[in-house]
Amino acid sequence: MDNIYLLMIVALAVLAIADLVVGVSNDAVNFLNSAIGSKAIPFKTIMIVASVGVAVGAVFSSGMMEVARKGIFNPHEFMFNEIMIIFMAVMITDILLLDFFNTVGMPTSTTVSIVFELLGASVAMALIKIGHSGGTFEDVVNYINTSKASEIIFGILLSVVVAFSVGAAVQWVTRLLLSYNFQKKANWVGALFGGIAITSITYFIFMKGIGGTAYAKQSFDIIGGATIKEFLENQVLFIVICSLVFWSLLSYAIISFLKTNIYKLIIIIGTFALALAFSGNDLVNFIGVPIAGWQSYTAWTVSGIAPEAFSMGFLADKVPTPTFLLVIAGFVMVATLWLSKKAKSVTETEINLSREGDGKERFQPNFLSRGFVRLAVGASEMSSYILPKTWQAKIDKQFEKPVINLAKSKTHELPAFDMVRAAVNLMVAAILISLATSMKLPLSTTYVTFMVAMGSSLADRAWGAESAVYRVAGVLNVIGGWFFTAIIAFVAAAIIAYLLNWNVAAMVPVLLLVAILLLVRNYIAHREKSKEAKAEDSLTKAESSSIQGVIHESANNIASVVKRGNKIYTNAINGLAKQDLTLLKKNKKQIVKLSSEVDELRDNIFYFIKNLDESSLAASNFYIHVLGYLQDMIQSLEYITKVSHKHVQNNHKKLKFNQIKELKEVDERFETFFNNTQKAFDSRSFEEIGIILGRKQEILGLVTSKIQKQVERTRTEESSPKNTTLYFSLLLETKDLLNASMNLLEEYYNAHDSSVKPATPVQAPSKTAKPAKIVEPKKPEADSPSSETPDASEPKQ
């Protein structure tokens, strides 16, 4: 039995390293977003600054892991075998929960997750002990530190509201004073702002980054024999005033004599400060439990007492963490910061929610987000009646964004927000966390940094009428995820603790294996998702300012849509032929993805038109028509995919042999058409489009003949209304797909012809055009009397 506890210690050590990886991937959002979103400094510089902050914070990390050791439960109420089950349940739950949030790209609180996991596992073990001893449910309070748990829950709710409100208020006042033309303000204005910002950030470094460490307990004669922590807490006003004067004067010198942008300096210092605080204080969330487990195991092995009789009361004592463990943890955190792709996913979520302007929105609006936006609009309209018109005009002028020349700047290269907002985010987050620490209030750095960023975005008018409902929905989703974290952490840890207690020797390896499999699955899923996002077939926005440039840029999109549309159409027919519901479900996902990409191109029309030269306005008409025909093609493919899936899902009768055979003949002819079209656009052989256009009637005739055959069958032998309806729907929508495709080709053919020679209307392809190589379709075979369904997986000729 002793071997199982040694295995648990080894497992806790491995889980600690894994937890560091997934924890840093999630919490990197706290200290990277302001710098990355503003693009004030190069990304590599941001990572170096953050890495130094993380490394320093790890070395100066708190030596007392109170939360893991005694903050949630009363250790003297548990024996060694019980405490090891609690710790193992907590670590397995924590790594799976954080990895799940990283995989979906949502920031969550590592503090809340570890606290509620400890709470859930402790409650489960307490109930098991109470059940064995014949106690009552009320006895749970003897095992759990209920006052601490209540304090943390209150801190969650308070931090969300306060951080959002203060972030919005400070950003609004700052923008009102500095406007978007902050670079042109007098030097003393920037110096004063720099003094205030750097003062708050440096005090934050001392209060949150160093004040909670073991070094802060040391006393010095230079400060009257008081400890650093006592001095920081008792001399707040003195420290703040001295710092404000010093940093304001230094900022003025930096601006005036060194000609350095003070806002960049604020962002660099702020990024370092938040990274240091994260590492110095949140490290307990990742290694606190394993270290407590290791210390428990060490104490038990030297005691010689049975595990079920060895009390854990010693955990209430203060035992420092060995420095070498902190150094190892710091190294793992820095490595994760540079290598983790999931950290980038989580970071993108917050930046997208706080960015200026419009773009692709990740979250869909809901009734709550619409309701909040309507309330905000109503409040804004009321304020317009209260404030004088002159005041409103002055305020609006300060919030007037600079005009960006879209012809010279690509939208994806622009910063998500300016340096003033980045500095405010860092400054306000630093102040709030410092105040909460000095008042001994539990506060999640994730909650504070995220809600400050959202509040400043709202006050900065980044959420306009075009994007407000999406951004608010995103914020509500993230907040909902936080409470989801608490609930799931509690329940999951309690269940795992119960399973471990049921048979610890059997369940430890089983649960570890399950955890490994889930982590591997999430890793593979995230990697595949990333590959899909970077797929060569993804559609790209047109950025050229001339019609010739748009023709060539759009050719890639046409080739991509045709290639993917060909596959979607074929899969729909094959899925029907084989009654393959899995294939049809996958096909539905593919058409939804393609449709969303085309919608995104249409949403970008505004920026495309803004980007055009005065002499190239004809390109806008061409581009708009091309997108319209692409939309028509997608709608036809969507309908074909939808009805095919619905037919098989509802277990309707299979299509008859002749119906499937005819559909496959049409599919073969369409595949030839799509392949030739793709080759023409891939090779930019636009003259070949004329040859393809010349075969429109041939393909239409094939589809029309199949419709006529089905009419004859329906009058004489057809007995299934569902099959008949499906078959006609597929063929009629196929005709619409062909017409939309031919209209697109004709638009391209005419536009290309006009761009290389004087415009002449081209209604028919040139008979003298020489195609490079057009694949001839196979002639459809005669109907077979056999009633056997053909194999849909056979390769096409």
Side-chain angles (χ1 to χ4, degrees):
M1 189 65 181
D2 293 354
N3 291 335
I4 190 62
Y5 295 115
L6 180 60
L7 172 63
M8 292 171 77
I9 290 300
V10 173
L12 284 175
V14 175
L15 289 172
I17 297 174
D19 206 33
L20 278 170
V21 173
V22 296
V24 173
S25 297
N26 196 283
D27 278 6
V29 66
N30 297 339
F31 50 86
L32 292 179
N33 276 3
S34 293
I36 293 175
S38 65
K39 295 191 177 182
I41 49 180
F43 180 75
K44 186 175 288 187
T45 304
I46 296 171
M47 296 296 289
I48 292 172
V49 170
S51 299
V52 174
V54 167
V56 173
V59 174
F60 285 89
S61 181
S62 173
M64 314 308 154
M65 302 291 182
E66 284 87 356
V67 172
R69 297 163 59 87
K70 62 177 182 178
I72 302 302
F73 55 83
N74 297 319
H76 61 274
E77 295 288 346
F78 296 96
M79 300 300 135
F80 172 71
N81 62 323
E82 297 163 345
I83 213 74
M84 288 300 292
I85 288 174
I86 291 174
F87 289 159
M88 181 62 69
V90 166
M91 290 306 295
I92 292 175
T93 305
D94 196 57
I95 191 172
L96 292 178
L97 188 62
L98 293 181
D99 187 67
F100 166 76
F101 275 93
N102 294 344
T103 302
V104 299
M106 295 276 280
T108 192
S109 171
T110 54
T111 302
V112 170
S113 63
I114 200 74
V115 164
F116 277 89
E117 286 152 6
L118 282 166
L119 187 60
S122 302
V123 167
M125 188 54 62
L127 291 175
I128 292 171
K129 288 172 66 71
I130 291 170
H132 289 165
S133 62
T136 63
F137 184 77
E138 288 76 11
D139 294 335
V140 171
V141 295
N142 298 325
Y143 297 86
I144 306 301
N145 192 340
T146 53
S147 61
K148 186 70 174 179
S150 302
E151 196 177 350
I152 290 172
I153 294 172
F154 174 75
I156 294 172
L157 298 173
L158 186 66
S159 65
V160 169
V161 177
V162 171
F164 185 86
S165 304
V166 174
V170 173
Q171 177 62 38
W172 190 84
V173 172
T174 302
R175 186 66 72 191
L176 188 64
L177 297 175
L178 295 179
S179 77
Y180 279 92
N181 294 316
F182 56 92
Q183 302 276 29
K184 298 179 181 178
K185 295 289 182 180
N187 287 353
W188 69 267
V189 176
L192 182 60
F193 181 80
I196 296 172
I198 299 176
T199 296
S200 63
I201 292 171
T202 51
Y203 183 75
F204 165 75
I205 291 175
F206 288 110
M207 188 68 234
K208 182 69 175 170
I210 298 176
T213 67
Y215 301 92
K217 307 295 189 299
Q218 299 179 13
S219 59
F220 294 90
D221 294 335
I222 193 172
I223 53 177
T227 65
I228 293 177
K229 187 174 180 65
E230 291 171 346
F231 181 76
L232 290 172
E233 291 177 350
N234 298 330
Q235 303 295 330
V236 176
L237 186 61
F238 173 76
I239 296 173
V240 168
I241 291 175
C242 291
S243 298
L244 181 60
V245 173
F246 173 77
W247 287 116
S248 296
L249 292 175
L250 184 61
S251 298
Y252 187 82
I254 290 173
I255 296 171
S256 302
F257 303 112
L258 299 181
K259 306 298 180 183
T260 300
N261 189 326
I262 193 64
Y263 300 97
K264 289 186 179 181
L265 181 61
I266 294 170
I267 293 170
I268 291 174
I269 297 175
T271 300
F272 171 82
L274 286 179
L276 181 144
F278 152 74
S279 179
N281 292 270
D282 287 358
L283 191 59
V284 62
N285 301 336
F286 315 129
I287 67 172
V289 168
I291 287 177
W294 171 61
Q295 291 170 340
S296 301
Y297 179 79
T298 303
W300 169 69
T301 52
V302 299
S303 69
I305 303 174
E308 60 273 8
F310 184 65
S311 174
M312 290 288 99
F314 81 96
L315 287 177
D317 302 330
K318 294 184 177 181
V319 182
T321 303
T323 304
F324 79 92
L325 292 178
L326 299 178
V327 172
I328 293 173
F331 175 79
V332 174
M333 294 165 81
V334 171
T336 301
L337 198 60
W338 283 90
L339 301 176
S340 175
K341 293 182 179 179
K342 290 186 178 181
K344 297 180 177 66
S345 299
V346 180
T347 300
E348 288 170 2
T349 298
E350 184 176 317
I351 292 177
N352 285 337
L353 288 175
S354 60
R355 73 180 185 275
E356 294 282 355
D358 307 314
K360 185 177 181 180
E361 302 292 349
R362 176 179 171 183
F363 299 94
Q364 293 302 313
N366 51 53
F367 74 98
L368 282 176
S369 68
R370 295 187 186 101
F372 281 125
V373 170
R374 289 192 186 100
L375 285 174
V377 171
S380 176
E381 291 175 350
M382 286 182 63
S383 66
S384 65
Y385 291 111
I386 297 172
L387 292 176
K389 297 294 183 184
T390 53
W391 289 21
Q392 293 181 39
K394 289 180 180 179
I395 292 173
D396 290 340
K397 187 175 181 181
Q398 292 297 92
F399 282 84
E400 191 175 303
K401 296 178 177 64
V403 177
I404 298 173
N405 188 347
L406 293 175
K408 296 180 180 179
S409 302
K410 296 180 180 179
T411 54
H412 62 270
E413 294 177 352
L414 298 175
F417 41 81
D418 66 0
M419 287 182 281
V420 167
R421 176 132 65 95
V424 166
N425 288 345
L426 294 166
M427 174 178 65
V428 174
I431 292 172
L432 290 178
I433 298 172
S434 302
L435 288 175
T437 302
S438 64
M439 296 168 65
K440 298 181 174 61
L441 289 175
L443 207 64
S444 166
T445 53
T446 299
Y447 292 176
V448 171
T449 53
F450 180 83
M451 293 310 297
V452 166
M454 296 304 101
S456 65
S457 302
L458 176 65
D460 215 23
R461 301 185 181 181
W463 298 354
E466 306 290 338
S467 60
V469 289
Y470 304 98
R471 308 290 176 83
V472 173
V475 173
L476 293 175
N477 272 276
V478 172
I479 294 175
W482 296 343
F483 290 98
F484 173 80
T485 299
I487 296 170
I488 295 300
F490 182 93
V491 174
I495 293 173
I496 293 177
Y498 173 80
L499 293 174
L500 288 171
N501 182 75
W502 175 57
N503 190 331
V504 67
M507 294 309 298
V508 166
V510 169
L511 289 174
L512 287 175
L513 179 61
V514 171
I516 292 171
L517 292 176
L518 288 174
L519 289 173
V520 171
R521 190 195 70 172
N522 287 347
Y523 171 78
I524 294 173
H526 187 269
R527 186 180 63 180
E528 292 301 319
K529 187 176 179 181
S530 300
K531 284 182 179 179
E532 287 179 9
K534 297 177 181 179
E536 293 181 357
D537 290 337
S538 296
L539 307 186
T540 56
K541 300 172 184 176
E543 294 176 341
S544 293
S545 58
S546 65
I547 189 168
Q548 189 64 27
V550 173
I551 286 173
H552 283 273
E553 278 188 359
S554 299
N556 290 330
N557 287 342
I558 305 298
S560 175
V561 170
V562 167
K563 176 183 176 182
R564 293 161 69 180
N566 184 14
K567 183 177 180 182
I568 289 168
Y569 187 86
T570 299
N571 285 343
I573 303 303
N574 287 345
L576 273 175
K578 299 163 66 176
Q579 296 283 288
D580 189 342
L581 188 59
T582 302
L583 177 61
L584 293 173
K585 282 182 180 178
K586 185 178 179 180
N587 212 36
K588 278 187 71 175
K589 291 181 180 179
Q590 294 299 319
I591 188 60
V592 168
K593 184 175 184 295
L594 182 57
S595 178
S596 67
E597 291 181 31
V598 173
D599 287 341
E600 189 178 349
L601 292 181
R602 289 175 66 89
D603 292 340
N604 192 57
I605 285 178
F606 170 81
Y607 301 101
F608 167 73
I609 294 175
K610 284 280 190 181
N611 186 43
L612 291 174
D613 293 336
E614 289 291 336
S615 59
S616 304
L617 294 181
S620 63
N621 288 328
F622 167 76
Y623 189 60
I624 290 169
H625 283 123
V626 165
L627 290 182
Y629 293 134
L630 283 178
Q631 191 81 16
D632 292 341
M633 291 173 64
I634 298 303
Q635 287 174 353
S636 295
L637 288 169
E638 274 184 315
Y639 183 82
I640 291 170
T641 305
K642 175 185 170 184
V643 296
S644 301
H645 175 265
K646 182 180 177 182
H647 187 86
V648 176
Q649 187 180 40
N650 291 340
N651 296 312
H652 294 315
K653 287 183 180 180
K654 293 177 64 174
L655 293 177
K656 293 188 175 182
F657 172 80
N658 286 339
Q659 291 175 321
I660 292 174
K661 182 183 177 185
E662 290 170 6
L663 285 175
K664 289 179 70 63
E665 288 174 6
V666 172
D667 178 36
E668 287 180 1
R669 187 61 187 86
F670 259 77
E671 181 162 9
T672 302
F673 162 65
F674 281 138
N675 285 339
N676 289 338
T677 303
Q678 182 189 343
K679 288 176 184 176
F681 281 96
D682 278 338
S683 63
R684 302 297 192 274
S685 303
F686 299 122
E687 298 81 6
E688 295 180 14
I689 296 175
I691 307 300
I692 299 171
L693 283 169
R695 292 177 177 153
K696 176 181 178 180
Q697 294 303 321
E698 176 188 337
I699 308 175
L700 274 177
L702 175 64
V703 178
T704 302
S705 68
K706 303 305 180 187
I707 294 175
Q708 185 60 36
K709 284 185 180 181
Q710 179 61 26
V711 171
E712 295 171 1
R713 279 196 298 264
T714 303
R715 292 174 60 85
T716 57
E717 61 186 62
E718 191 64 62
S719 60
S720 173
K722 295 291 185 184
N723 280 16
T724 302
T725 302
L726 173 66
Y727 190 74
F728 280 133
S729 298
L730 291 174
L731 291 180
L732 290 173
E733 205 62 43
T734 297
K735 286 183 70 175
D736 290 344
L737 173 62
L738 177 63
N739 286 327
S741 303
M742 289 297 182
N743 288 339
L744 173 65
L745 294 180
E746 191 169 335
E747 183 78 27
Y748 229 97
Y749 187 80
N750 291 339
H752 174 259
D753 189 65
S754 300
S755 67
V756 295
K757 63 177 186 257
T760 55
V762 181
Q763 300 298 330
S766 171
K767 295 181 180 179
T768 58
K770 295 182 178 180
K773 186 178 182 182
I774 297 293
V775 181
E776 290 291 342
K778 288 182 65 178
K779 293 184 180 180
E781 299 176 5
D783 293 350
S784 171
S786 172
S787 59
E788 184 180 347
T789 302
D791 185 2
S793 62
E794 290 181 1
K796 299 179 181 61
Q797 300 298 321

